[in-house]
Amino acid sequence: MNPATTEHRRAGIRRPAPLLAVAGILAVFLAAPPATGREDALPVEITADHAEMDERAGTGTYTGDVIVVRGDATLEADRVIVHMRERRPYEIEAHGEPARLESPDPETGETRIAEGLRIDYFLDEERVILTERARVITAAEDARGQRITYDLERDVIRAERGDTDDERVHIRLQPREDDP
């Protein structure tokens, strides 16, 4: 037995588990089917440079080139906090320069992009709130504002302005290209 390990055990100190083992355990918990039995619930897979899980607080904090995948949606950020109830993720808070969420439109399959310095993704509602330099790009529009609420399921965008005239909402509507 390693003398350092024995010394730590006697002192009541536990050595931290390697990051890969901790991340693997979290992946198992996040990928487990929810207790609600909802068929539309999807697992969440996370890769990052660092991870810290606080089971009592119900949070996992990930930093360094974080990539979160849920179904066909991919979220990229510098820092992500996953909020959980009973080991089931219900909200993802992402911070970046900017943080970016890509997902396909459920009807057309075309890529939708949502960006902001902060993204709050409410998993059960399929809704995101983008704040600071918020932007949503779809096949039909390019919306910018200080704060954007985006219903991913219904494809509804609600943009809000900031406090100054420079932070007004800006929308660009893309004309449809009809097949000849």
Side-chain angles (χ1 to χ4, degrees):
M1 183 175 280
N2 183 340
T5 304
T6 306
E7 182 178 313
H8 284 292
R9 285 188 184 148
R10 281 191 213 133
I13 300 171
R14 292 184 350 175
R15 300 177 85 181
L19 183 58
L20 287 176
V22 173
I25 291 169
L26 181 65
V28 168
F29 288 129
L30 292 178
T36 62
R38 288 180 26 180
E39 293 179 7
D40 61 342
L42 298 169
V44 176
E45 296 182 28
I46 303 167
T47 57
D49 292 336
H50 301 90
E52 178 180 316
M53 281 65 66
D54 184 341
E55 194 167 328
R56 288 186 181 157
T59 60
T61 303
Y62 306 87
T63 56
D65 295 322
V66 184
I67 299 172
V68 180
V69 177
R70 180 174 185 250
D72 292 337
T74 301
L75 175 68
E76 297 177 359
D78 300 324
R79 180 172 178 254
V80 168
I81 302 168
V82 178
H83 300 272
M84 296 173 282
R85 283 189 203 105
E86 298 175 7
R87 296 186 179 168
R88 182 177 177 270
Y90 66 91
E91 179 185 350
I92 297 174
E93 175 186 325
H95 302 267
E97 289 289 330
R100 179 182 177 102
L101 174 67
E102 288 189 22
S103 65
D105 182 294
E107 291 182 16
T108 67
E110 294 185 32
T111 300
R112 305 174 298 181
I113 299 170
E115 296 179 332
L117 297 185
R118 177 174 173 160
I119 297 176
D120 291 288
Y121 185 179
F122 300 92
L123 302 174
D124 293 341
E125 302 170 26
E126 284 298 319
R127 178 176 58 99
V128 295
I129 297 175
L130 314 159
T131 51
E132 296 186 64
R133 296 193 339 227
R135 183 177 186 187
V136 173
I137 303 166
T138 69
E141 62 259 330
D142 182 346
R144 298 173 192 227
Q146 184 62 16
R147 176 183 162 102
I148 296 176
T149 301
Y150 186 22
D151 184 326
L152 296 167
E153 189 174 339
R154 296 182 337 176
D155 200 26
V156 174
I157 300 168
R158 180 175 296 127
E160 300 174 27
R161 67 174 286 161
D163 295 330
T164 68
D165 284 340
D166 292 342
E167 297 175 325
R168 293 185 66 192
V169 172
H170 178 80
I171 307 290
R172 176 182 297 140
L173 302 175
Q174 301 291 347
R176 290 189 73 137
E177 294 181 20
D178 294 308
D179 294 333

